[in-house]
Amino acid sequence: LGIYWPEPFATLEKAMGFTQLSLGLLPLGCVGDFDFYDTLRFAVWVPIGVFALVWLVTRPRGLSLVWLRVLAGGAGAAASAQYQTHVTACLLVAYVFVPSSTLTLFKFFVCREFADGRAFLEADMSVECYTPEWREHRALVGFGLAVAIVVPVSFLGLLWPHRETLRAGRAPLEPRLRPLAFLYETYRPHAWWFEIYDCARRVVRGGVVVFCG
């Protein structure tokens, strides 16, 4: 379309494009013999796998002690470059990947019923709804949706204790906020919460697109 986004949205758009490979732009069925259940597992487990990998790769030494010092208000531990990289990388994975997966998860519930009484997924007509296999995947979908909801709630929980500092524009002076800067630094101090709102909107949008689109 010839649309060019400024940073940091240009980088985010590229990352989001990757996460959407199985969500519509390039269905998994185009690159192999996959059905909707494979796409579903991809949407749930790949973000978790990437999160775990990033956690292990960026984890600083003595992470448990660092966390305890941060929770106790230790500015030195929070200012650690390794700690900041670790927290920011993990949160970015959750921010980019998880809400985007809801589009696939919600498609699991959209079935089309035919005259013979059988129903099939609109997203993949080779998958019959309400079968034992379909019911077995409900727990996976529920887990994926729960994780997607936890992401914006966790972001709010991380920023809420510092809301007065954020509103006053003193966030750069608070070391514990530096790993979370991508959530608020592009907005004015009074709108520190807007990225969290947008993250929640992306989660809800998946359901709106599927059920109302």
Side-chain angles (χ1 to χ4, degrees), residues 91 95 155 159 180-185 187 192 194-196:
L91 293 180
Y95 173 84
F155 290 162
L159 291 184
L180 312 174
F182 73 95
L183 290 173
Y184 62 81
E185 65 181 355
Y187 302 99
W192 61 268
F194 192 82
E195 197 66 58
I196 301 170

Side-chain angles (χ1 to χ4, degrees), residues 18-203:
F18 172 77
T19 66
Q20 295 292 333
L21 287 179
S22 66
L23 307 181
L25 297 181
L26 182 61
L28 287 180
C30 293
V31 295
D33 186 19
F34 300 101
D35 63 10
F36 182 80
Y37 293 135
D38 296 312
T39 303
L40 195 63
R41 288 187 284 269
F42 180 93
V44 173
W45 295 119
V46 166
I48 294 175
V50 173
F51 181 89
L53 179 62
V54 170
W55 175 280
L56 291 172
V57 170
T58 64
R59 181 183 60 180
R61 292 183 179 180
L63 178 61
S64 299
L65 293 176
V66 173
W67 273 110
L68 290 174
R69 290 170 185 167
V70 171
L71 293 174
S80 165
Q82 283 186 318
Y83 168 80
Q84 291 184 26
T85 299
H86 173 67
V87 174
T88 301
C90 291
L91 293 180
L92 275 173
V93 169
Y95 173 84
V96 171
F97 280 82
V98 175
S100 305
S101 67
T102 57
L103 184 63
T104 295
L105 298 175
F106 283 120
K107 285 180 179 179
F108 176 80
F109 299 103
V110 182
C111 300
R112 179 180 297 180
E113 188 171 347
F114 291 88
D116 62 357
R118 300 171 68 191
F120 294 84
L121 281 180
E122 288 196 0
D124 185 347
M125 285 294 179
S126 69
V127 175
E128 186 174 356
C129 298
Y130 315 125
T131 62
E133 185 178 16
W134 183 87
R135 291 188 175 91
E136 288 175 0
H137 284 82
R138 287 185 299 185
L140 178 63
V141 173
F143 171 72
L145 290 174
V147 172
I149 293 170
V150 164
V151 169
V153 172
S154 298
F155 290 162
L156 180 61
L158 289 169
L159 291 184
W160 184 258
H162 305 284
R163 59 190 181 280
E164 297 301 330
T165 300
L166 291 164
R167 286 180 189 144
R170 299 195 303 269
L173 303 178
E174 174 53 73
R176 286 174 293 182
L177 281 173
R178 290 173 192 169
L180 312 174
F182 73 95
L183 290 173
Y184 62 81
E185 65 181 355
T186 56
Y187 302 99
R188 292 181 178 178
H190 71 274
W192 61 268
W193 50 267
F194 192 82
E195 197 66 58
I196 301 170
Y197 159 78
D198 188 61
C199 187
R201 181 188 63 82
R202 288 161 52 206
V203 173

